[in-house]
Amino acid sequence: MDAAEWDEHYANTELVWGAPPNATVVEQVFGLERRAPVGGGIGEPRPELPRVLDLGCGEGRNALWLATHGWQVDAVDFSQTGIDKGRTVASRLSRSVRGRIHWIHANVMHLDVAGITGPYELILLAFLHLPAADRRALLLRATEMLSPEGTLLVIGNDTLNLAEGYGGEQDPARTFTPADILADLSPAEPDIRIRIADRVHRPTEDRDAIDALVVATRLAPEPQDEPLALEAPQPPALDLS
C-alpha cells in the first residue's frame, strides 16, 4: 500500500497493531549491552541517551516502548495518520518520555532528504515490508548509519507464514526469510557480524504467525598499533684510560 492507503487504514481503527510493543523486539532490546552514544559533531552537545532509528514506525508501539525504557527515538513513517496516532498515545505519557521521541513524516527510502543520517546505537525495521530491491538498499543504508558496535534488528513476516502461519503481509514479493536478509546484508559483511538469523513463532488469536528475525552488529574499528618508540642514540663512551 502507498502512504494514502496506509493513512486510510490507520484512520479506520483505533490502533491497528495494538498498544503493546512486539514481544521479540522487547526480548532482543533487553538483551543488548547499552553503550554510551557517540558524540555529536563539532559544537554539538553529546547525547545523553542511546539513540534508535525506528523505520516504518506506524502508530509507534515500539517507539513508545523504547522511549519509556531510556532510548532517544527517531520514529519514521510515511503515513501522517499513523504518526499522529503515535503522538496521541505519547501525549498520555510523561513529558520526559514524550521528549525522547522525534516523530518524522518521511519515506524510509529517502532518509537523507529528511536529514536522517545517524549514527544510531540501534536501528529497527519491524514489519516493514518493501519490494526486495528497496529492502536491500535500505538495509545497506542502515548498516552505514550504525555507530560502532551498534545493532541492526530486522523482524517481519517470513515467507513461510503465507502457507503455514497466520495473518501478516500477503504479497509473496514483500515477505522474506532470514536467508534473504543475510543475502541483502552480504555486501556489508566486512563491517558487520550476524548475531541471530532465525524464524520466530508468534502466538496470535489463531495459530502461530511465523516471523523472520535477523540481528547484526556493526564491528568497531580495529585499534591502531602504537608506533614503536625509537631509542635515542647514545653518545660514544669516553675512553678514560
Side-chain angles (χ1 to χ4, degrees), residues 194-217:
I194 304 298
R195 291 180 43 227
I196 299 173
D198 205 355
R199 286 188 167 105
V200 177
H201 286 252
R202 172 169 46 88
T204 74
E205 64 271 21
D206 199 307
R207 60 186 183 274
D208 284 359
I210 304 172
D211 298 330
L213 171 68
V214 172
V215 181
T217 303

Side-chain angles (χ1 to χ4, degrees), residues 22 24-25 29 52-57 61-62 66 74 76 108-109 111 122-130 134-143 145-146 151-157 176 181 184-185 211-215:
N22 176 265
T24 303
V25 170
V29 171
V52 53
L53 177 62
D54 183 1
L55 293 171
C57 66
R61 61 176 182 146
N62 294 313
L66 287 159
D74 283 349
V76 184
V108 296
M109 299 307 301
L111 297 176
L122 170 64
I123 297 180
L124 173 64
L125 286 81
F127 301 93
L128 176 58
H129 293 278
L130 301 170
D134 288 347
R135 183 189 69 225
R136 180 182 180 89
L138 182 58
L139 286 171
L140 293 177
R141 181 70 186 101
T143 64
M145 292 191 293
L146 285 174
T151 298
L152 174 67
L153 198 167
V154 183
I155 184 169
N157 301 130
F176 52 83
I181 302 300
D184 290 342
L185 293 174
D211 298 330
L213 171 68
V214 172
V215 181

